[in-house]
Amino acid sequence: MSVATADRSRIDLSQKTALLAAGDLAAILAFIVLGSSSHSYGPFDVVHIAGAFAPFLVGWLLVAGPAGLYASDAPGTLANSTLVTLLVWIVAVAIAQALRATGLFPGGAALTFAVVSVLVGGLLLTLWRIVATVTLAR
């Protein structure tokens, strides 16, 4: 089963795309938990972690599907999967920073945090997508 999106790319509802989505969200959550822990919040401060995770989740969900990260041919080639994942993450971080700037989410927007988000979150997502691409290609 697939769901068409506004730009005609597809989100295919399958075990493979569910696994990809779960891994993506786990990588983003790991980024948030690592960051929260490094700023004197405990890894079990659920309220803080949920508030920090939400804008990144919104950004990711707005961009990942239309970009084809959950299409029937996902993850695709290693080079394409890595490049698309990084580009989607950069846009998702921009959306997250814009949301954080509204005051609806904790932390506010900061260029330094955006850079750290792109680098650390991008690394975690890229590593996950490399593992998924190699594993699913078998």
Side-chain angles (χ1 to χ4, degrees):
M1 175 187 291
S2 67
V3 178
T5 60
D7 69 346
R8 298 187 180 219
S9 63
R10 294 167 16 121
I11 298 173
D12 290 303
L13 305 177
S14 67
Q15 288 181 338
K16 178 177 73 171
T17 56
L19 174 66
L20 290 170
D24 292 344
L25 297 181
I28 296 168
L29 184 60
F31 158 67
I32 296 298
V33 170
L34 286 170
S36 294
S37 296
S38 72
H39 289 285
S40 301
Y41 294 97
F44 304 108
D45 187 342
V46 178
V47 173
H48 173 78
I49 289 172
F53 179 67
F56 290 97
L57 175 63
V58 170
W60 183 259
L61 294 177
L62 286 174
V63 185
L69 287 177
Y70 305 116
S72 61
D73 60 349
T77 66
L78 187 58
N80 187 59
S81 175
T82 302
L83 178 62
V84 172
T85 299
L86 283 173
L87 292 174
V88 166
W89 180 243
I90 290 168
V91 175
V93 168
I95 292 168
Q97 289 298 306
L99 291 171
R100 289 168 58 97
T102 65
L104 295 174
F105 299 97
L111 180 58
T112 53
F113 182 52
V115 171
V116 169
S117 299
V118 167
L119 295 175
V120 177
L123 176 65
L124 293 171
L125 279 163
T126 300
L127 289 174
W128 154 244
R129 280 293 179 139
I130 288 169
V131 168
T133 301
V134 169
T135 304
L136 293 173
R138 292 180 182 172

